[in-house]
Amino acid sequence: MTEENVTPFTPHDAGHVADPDDALEAARRKCPVSQVSDVLFVVTSDIDVRALFKDSANFSNRGNFTIGREDRNHAFPGITNLDPPVHTELRSRLLRSMAPKKLRLLGPRVAQVIARTLDRLPLSGEVELHNDYVSHIPSAVTYSMIGLPEEYWSEVEALADALVEAVPAPETSMPEYDRLMELMSQIVRDRREHSEQRRDDVLDNLCFAAPGEREMEDLEVVMHLRQLFAAATDTTRALIANCIYRLLEHGDWARIVADRSLLKNAIEESLRFDSPAQFMTRSVVRESVIGECPVTAGHKAYLSIQSANHDEAVWGSTARHFDITRQVAVQHVAFGRGIHSCLGAPLARMEAYMAIGALMDHYPRMAAGRRATWEKCDGLLLRRPKEVWARLVGETPAAVGTNAGQVAE
């Protein structure tokens, strides 16, 4: 299809959502800032996306992830929908649970989760890795870090997955939302009723204020936990699944098995090439300009992370090629920029490094499966293949597991 026949991207087009890259490229060339509805502007260039990420004065996080006029009107919005100073307070509090020292201490737990998940895979044969391997790891790690009792993990995972898949539909109309709120409210009450049993986890951090911090209401704690369930699980699953798929598709698996030093950069290139979170939304709070396009208060800007990460002005003529040796891959905007840059980015990178490294230890000759094909998962927000089919070639190397417990520095 020639460029003249490609319509610039709009998130209201199901075909564009399923396969956005041609439409995003057309948008970057023809109209990097375009109005696609009475309320929504789509922003596709790297320079403009970065600028809006950093401009919290003119562009609010209120209504993030929505593309219509209505917003999610929760009594206590999650961190991705907050602006300073409330955002600053909450982010500082959550950073205590995600400090580098805390993540290093979490490394053995991540290794344990990965080892347990690997044990479920056959020695050889064709498997679908997203469901059989990838999906279990971020959920277990996140729930452990939060302090969610293990008997609730399966149900919470199913409920949170349903809500993420429905974005940008109003989640409060869904029965899964009601059930998750009910469940988490009980867990928060239980933790607060046993204040003598303090624990070093996120749930404890939110339920009990440190000196100088304010006490949060039960519902506020529940809403912040609900945000973490989605933010820390689905995007990390997408990162791991995307990276495995592309390494197998492009024949890079054996290359990285032979030179494990390439893995960190391959993860960054995966984040750039297949941005797990496809977009964020900002609400215009005062008359401003995006690029050369004037916008007025009341409009919204759809920041296409995928497009920014494929912008030829930054990434050159190979922007739409997957290259594990790309020297500046880490400069992507997959985790955002500015005050709203992703809190969980170090944890996501650690999980990806350890999960993929463990697979390489156990299946160094793994190859793409016969049924391997790229078909985007359902939903507007996430980008990952629905399935990751791989052909396992069983080996029992002496060094099995040597990298599974290593944490990426």
Side-chain angles (χ1 to χ4, degrees):
M1 183 180 294
T2 64
E3 180 184 326
E4 290 73 18
N5 295 327
V6 177
T7 304
F9 178 87
T10 169
H12 302 291
D13 186 320
H16 286 182
V17 172
D19 188 9
D21 291 334
D22 287 343
L24 289 171
E25 182 174 349
R28 290 193 299 273
R29 295 183 185 280
K30 296 178 181 180
C31 47
V33 181
S34 59
Q35 187 166 2
V36 298
S37 75
D38 63 333
V39 67
L40 190 67
F41 287 81
V42 169
V43 183
T44 57
S45 73
D46 176 272
I47 190 170
D48 291 334
V49 168
R50 287 177 190 266
L52 266 67
F53 271 141
K54 295 180 180 180
D55 187 356
S56 57
N58 294 309
F59 300 93
S60 168
N61 263 47
R62 183 186 70 248
N64 194 11
F65 302 121
T66 62
I67 60 174
R69 192 167 294 281
E70 66 286 339
D71 293 333
R72 287 184 170 83
N73 296 314
H74 296 305
F76 298 102
I79 191 168
T80 60
N81 291 78
L82 288 172
D83 297 314
V86 180
H87 169 268
T88 307
E89 176 197 11
L90 177 60
R91 185 179 177 93
S92 297
R93 192 157 176 169
L94 288 174
L95 276 172
R96 289 210 312 268
S97 298
M98 299 185 186
K101 180 180 179 181
K102 292 286 185 68
L103 293 185
R104 285 193 293 272
L105 293 173
L106 191 61
R109 175 57 176 156
V110 177
Q112 182 183 51
V113 168
I114 290 170
R116 187 171 64 185
T117 309
L118 270 172
D119 285 343
R120 303 173 184 170
L121 295 178
L123 186 61
S124 60
E126 188 141 333
V127 299
E128 198 286 288
L129 284 175
H130 179 262
N131 287 333
D132 291 349
Y133 180 69
V134 174
S135 66
H136 302 291
I137 295 168
S139 298
V141 171
T142 299
Y143 300 159
S144 293
M145 181 180 68
I146 288 174
L148 184 69
E150 193 163 352
E151 62 264 29
Y152 298 115
W153 286 10
S154 295
E155 184 177 7
V156 168
E157 183 176 10
L159 295 170
D161 287 352
L163 296 177
V164 169
E165 187 174 315
V167 170
E171 61 182 14
T172 52
S173 64
M174 300 175 63
E176 290 88 350
Y177 176 84
D178 294 336
R179 173 55 184 160
L180 185 59
M181 294 301 101
E182 176 189 19
L183 190 62
M184 293 313 305
S185 295
Q186 182 59 55
I187 290 169
V188 169
R189 287 194 298 271
D190 289 346
R191 178 63 68 94
R192 282 182 155 164
E193 287 172 2
H194 297 89
S195 58
E196 74 284 357
Q197 300 176 12
R198 299 294 300 272
R199 305 172 197 176
D200 189 12
D201 55 33
V202 174
L203 184 56
D204 202 272
N205 182 1
L206 296 178
C207 284
F208 304 104
E213 292 180 341
R214 65 180 180 85
E215 292 288 350
M216 292 184 179
E217 297 182 30
D218 285 4
L219 180 57
E220 186 175 5
V221 175
V222 168
M223 293 307 298
H224 295 326
L225 292 174
R226 181 261 172 278
Q227 175 77 68
L228 291 174
F229 292 152
T233 55
D234 284 280
T235 51
T236 305
R237 288 175 185 160
L239 164 58
I240 299 170
N242 290 340
C243 193
I244 294 171
Y245 186 96
R246 298 304 182 188
L247 292 176
L248 295 176
E249 178 188 42
H250 292 271
D252 291 317
W253 187 262
R255 186 178 180 187
I256 296 182
V257 168
D259 182 1
R260 196 64 65 88
S261 68
L262 295 170
L263 179 55
K264 289 182 188 178
N265 201 66
I267 290 169
E268 301 303 328
E269 176 68 350
S270 175
L271 286 161
R272 184 199 71 85
F273 189 73
D274 294 308
S275 304
Q278 288 284 275
F279 73 97
M280 292 187 185
T281 314
R282 296 293 183 264
S283 295
V284 184
V285 294
R286 58 175 61 91
E287 187 172 346
S288 189
V289 176
I290 307 174
E292 299 179 356
C293 180
V295 293
T296 56
H299 287 94
K300 291 181 179 177
Y302 174 107
L303 310 187
S304 176
I305 297 172
Q306 178 75 10
S307 182
N309 283 338
H310 283 199
D311 191 342
E312 300 82 0
V314 173
W315 304 101
S317 60
T318 63
R320 290 183 58 181
H321 296 276
F322 181 79
D323 178 5
I324 63 172
T325 64
R326 191 181 299 274
Q327 294 184 355
V328 292
V330 72
Q331 295 178 14
H332 60 75
V333 292
F335 289 125
R337 281 291 189 272
I339 63 171
H340 291 283
S341 58
C342 179
L343 272 171
L347 178 59
R349 286 182 167 110
M350 181 176 79
E351 290 180 68
Y353 183 86
M354 295 174 69
I356 297 170
L359 272 182
M360 289 180 169
D361 288 336
H362 284 69
Y363 304 104
R365 293 189 290 139
M366 187 169 76
R370 292 185 299 275
R371 288 187 276 179
T373 185
W374 179 275
E375 181 183 356
K376 183 187 169 300
C377 66
D378 295 329
L380 182 63
L381 178 59
L382 290 175
R383 178 181 174 98
R384 66 162 173 80
K386 278 188 175 181
E387 299 176 326
V388 182
W389 285 98
R391 180 167 51 84
L392 305 183
V393 180
E395 293 189 8
T396 54
V400 162
T402 55
N403 286 283
Q406 294 180 4
V407 179
E409 296 296 334

